[in-house]
Amino acid sequence: MAGNFDPLTADLTQHQTALMTKQISAVELAKVFLHRAQAHTELNAFLHINEAATVAQASAADALISTLGSASRSPEIGHLQPLHGVPIGHKDIFVTRDWITTAGSKMLQNYASPFDATVVEKLGLGQAGMVTLGKLNCDEFAMGSSNENSAFGAVQNPWDKTRIPGGSSGGSAAAVAAGLVPCATGTDTGGSLRQPAAMCGITAIKPTYGRVSRYGMIAFASSLDQGGPMARSAKDCALLLNAMCGYDEKDSTSAQVAHEDYTAKICEVPADAKKPLAGLRVGIPLQFWGEKTVAALGENGLQATNGVLLACWNAVQQLQKLGATLVDVSLPRIGLSVPAYYVIAPAEASSNLSRFDGVRYGHRAKNYTDLASMISNTRAEGFGAEVQRRILTGTYVLCHGYYDAYYLQAQRVRRLIAQDFQAALQSCDVLAGPVAPTTAWKIGAKNNDPVAMYLEDIYTLGVSLAGLPALSAPCGFSDGMPVGLQLIANHYKEGNLLNVAHQYQTATDWHLRRPEGF
Ligand code: GLN
């Protein structure tokens, strides 16, 4: 290794420059991170490492770099993709051929997928050219807000190892924050990219529903699930999203809407460099801020702590300094997003998870007397408590006699919440608020109270129900733990979100802070 390249502080572009200028090889770079992962197993961020598969990918990446180098990048051979050779970790909800895929569940403990998810394929060799470091821990079937629902144990938050990293993409967030991976994939059904990013002090974007293919992403709630990138900065997320997104005929709800070049988009600034956000209207939903939150959200909400609100408000003021103007807006029915989501998501989960019956793949109970007992014993053994709770809730709200009262009603509420967002976005370009009402709590603190856990999702669920894109960017600390600012935009406006966050991160350094000891 030569030069002054430091894999722990470098952004993804610097990673590739180091590879192209031969300061480090892709194999060496991957090994730096694998060794870090092995040195920090206490975090429990990784579920599966397959060093031979990683080295094979990295060697192939190196071979291409050498070919292009010796051919002096002839046009016939083409240029390398901007992430070629750069390592990445995948949430263990994306299926991978060369790594076991468990979705954090005993049900799939030894599941070897015959194919790679579209996202994994797009980011991997032959396309973006990234090198897979392994699979990252998550809540079982992505159900949870703390990563404690993983059948393979809780993940520690690198900022304070007695605390949760957030969930469900908790392993991904902790691994990025601790520098065990330079970037990772995650998924977001009701906040699982944004909330762990906020709690671990990193950046993540949940794209518009349909923007990133769901093919090979183990399904939780199909009308909400969306994959996305997690990294240190908006600039890195822009590069990753460019490589991940796009229409996929294998996903029936994949959007056939052209996407912008997000790296070009983040560089778009008005002539006045001091006011890069001039003309930007930032909506301040009254229900997201301060005392009014309690009244507006009632028993369905949880007021953000003062520390969280203060950090977020400082960030909003920074946006103003960069030229943005503030607009008061209202999301009058946002408080209903918790009950609506916790009807719709379990309903879809109960249907999606019916495939885990012990017949074709996954866990099968050893003791049974007939087909029915084989299926029920398999499911009772294979699924953890929270997943069983969701399946029961979902089956209940879908059953004849309750369907209209719960499921249909929740769908109506979903529509109203989406309308509220559209009305609010008439008068502004982005909405700003916290990602989560609190910072990361102690491991075990909310385990016995599922409703307390659900209420933590109040700031993220509405966005998911409305299918909108939203970004989480580090914006300070409260009691020593990271706080995330949430920026929300209209459908397919990921570029705007990344641009605003990039301008913010150019003016501040919260995203560069690192936990001690990492
Ligand atoms: N915390 C939410 C839940 O438990 C969201 C999870 C997610 O986005 N995957 O359902």
Side-chain angles (χ1 to χ4, degrees):
M1 206 190 300
N4 53 7
F5 169 63
D6 176 1
L8 294 188
T9 52
D11 68 19
L12 300 185
T13 309
Q14 290 165 334
H15 271 82
Q16 207 202 22
T17 306
L19 289 165
M20 294 303 297
T21 54
K22 307 269 169 76
Q23 290 183 60
I24 193 167
S25 71
V27 171
E28 287 167 334
L29 184 57
K31 283 189 174 172
V32 166
F33 286 103
L34 287 183
H35 291 157
R36 285 185 64 75
Q38 276 141 10
H40 288 291
T41 49
E42 80 281 7
L43 293 181
N44 201 23
F46 270 89
L47 289 181
H48 323 289
I49 286 178
N50 175 354
E51 183 158 350
T54 299
V55 169
Q57 291 191 357
S59 304
D62 279 333
L64 196 57
I65 292 172
S66 304
T67 316
L68 288 194
S70 56
S72 61
R73 301 194 181 199
S74 76
E76 301 86 73
I77 295 178
H79 290 274
L80 287 179
Q81 295 295 319
L83 292 166
H84 183 90
V86 178
I88 187 167
H90 291 300
K91 182 176 182 179
D92 202 24
I93 205 100
F94 290 99
V95 300
T96 40
R97 240 194 337 234
D98 296 331
W99 286 262
I100 297 290
T101 304
T102 65
S105 181
K106 251 167 69 181
M107 190 59 101
L108 291 173
Q109 193 150 17
N110 296 307
Y111 177 64
S113 167
F115 68 100
D116 282 335
T118 294
V119 161
V120 173
E121 233 177 43
K122 276 178 162 284
L123 291 172
L125 284 184
Q127 298 199 39
M130 298 187 83
V131 174
T132 301
L133 291 171
K135 304 296 287 294
L136 298 161
N137 206 341
C138 58
D139 281 301
E140 186 174 5
F141 291 103
M143 298 178 196
S145 313
S146 69
N147 215 121
E148 293 165 293
N149 296 336
S150 166
F152 308 108
V155 172
Q156 297 178 346
N157 189 316
W159 290 92
D160 173 351
K161 293 180 181 177
T162 67
R163 291 177 188 271
I164 56 119
S168 64
S169 313
S172 300
V176 173
L180 312 188
V181 296
C183 58
T185 53
T187 60
D188 191 310
T189 301
S192 283
L193 280 157
R194 293 162 281 162
Q195 185 255 28
M199 291 190 169
C200 289
I202 64 161
T203 308
I205 181 165
K206 178 198 100 76
T208 308
Y209 178 76
R211 187 44 109 194
V212 168
S213 169
R214 291 182 297 111
Y215 185 70
M217 207 172 98
I218 294 176
F220 162 14
S222 304
S223 76
L224 298 155
D225 295 344
Q226 186 59 197
M230 306 178 92
R232 308 207 65 81
S233 64
K235 184 167 169 259
D236 285 352
C237 284
L239 270 170
L240 289 160
L241 188 57
N242 266 348
M244 287 170 80
C245 72
Y247 173 68
D248 181 9
E249 61 180 17
K250 296 190 197 121
D251 171 359
S252 62
T253 59
S254 178
Q256 297 202 42
V257 178
H259 69 89
E260 300 164 297
D261 176 347
Y262 300 118
T263 47
K265 186 75 189 171
I266 61 171
C267 299
E268 275 177 20
V269 283
D272 179 359
K274 284 207 185 105
K275 300 272 180 210
L277 296 181
L280 180 82
R281 299 164 305 163
V282 177
I284 303 295
L286 77 91
Q287 294 80 2
F288 277 8
W289 296 90
E291 282 158 27
K292 288 174 183 160
T293 312
V294 177
L297 303 181
E299 60 182 15
N300 299 322
L302 194 66
Q303 188 187 14
T305 63
N306 288 337
V308 166
L309 287 176
L310 192 64
C312 291
W313 192 248
N314 286 338
V316 168
Q317 287 183 319
Q318 181 67 47
L319 300 181
Q320 270 184 299
K321 276 192 211 142
L322 295 173
T325 50
L326 305 189
V327 185
D328 283 330
V329 296
S330 180
L331 296 170
R333 287 164 287 207
I334 196 73
L336 298 175
S337 58
V338 177
Y341 172 90
Y342 279 98
V343 167
I344 292 167
E348 295 185 22
S350 74
S351 165
N352 271 327
L353 271 61
S354 64
R355 72 190 69 176
F356 300 105
D357 54 8
V359 175
R360 271 166 300 187
Y361 53 84
H363 177 73
R364 180 185 294 176
K366 291 218 165 37
N367 300 319
Y368 54 88
T369 49
D370 55 9
L371 181 64
S373 71
M374 188 278 279
I375 293 175
S376 65
N377 293 355
T378 293
R379 288 166 68 81
E381 289 170 16
F383 291 136
E386 181 60 25
V387 172
Q388 293 194 25
R389 185 177 296 121
R390 306 263 179 130
I391 292 173
L392 289 172
T393 310
T395 308
Y396 181 83
V397 300
L398 287 176
C399 73
H400 182 72
Y402 295 109
Y403 184 88
D404 287 7
Y406 293 109
Y407 182 70
L408 266 191
Q409 189 71 352
Q411 293 289 21
R412 291 191 190 103
V413 171
R414 178 180 191 169
R415 174 60 59 92
L416 295 174
I417 290 169
Q419 283 171 0
D420 286 352
F421 273 106
Q422 285 310 318
L425 286 165
Q426 292 302 307
S427 58
C428 60
D429 306 297
V430 298
L431 302 169
V435 173
T438 66
T439 54
W441 56 89
K442 292 273 185 194
I443 291 173
K446 293 183 197 252
N447 264 353
N448 296 326
D449 189 349
V451 174
M453 193 86 92
Y454 300 165
L455 292 176
E456 283 283 339
D457 298 338
I458 181 64
Y459 288 103
T460 51
L461 298 178
V463 167
S464 299
L465 290 168
L468 297 169
L471 180 145
S472 171
C475 68
F477 292 83
S478 172
D479 297 328
M481 294 306 290
V483 176
L485 174 75
Q486 182 171 214
L487 296 168
I488 304 162
N490 219 330
H491 298 113
Y492 306 113
K493 299 285 186 196
E494 290 84 1
N496 281 11
L497 292 177
L498 289 162
N499 181 293
V500 175
H502 178 61
Q503 303 316 325
Y504 175 71
Q505 292 182 339
T506 304
T508 59
D509 68 354
W510 299 114
H511 63 296
L512 300 177
R513 308 288 175 100
R514 302 193 69 97
E516 241 179 78
F518 294 96

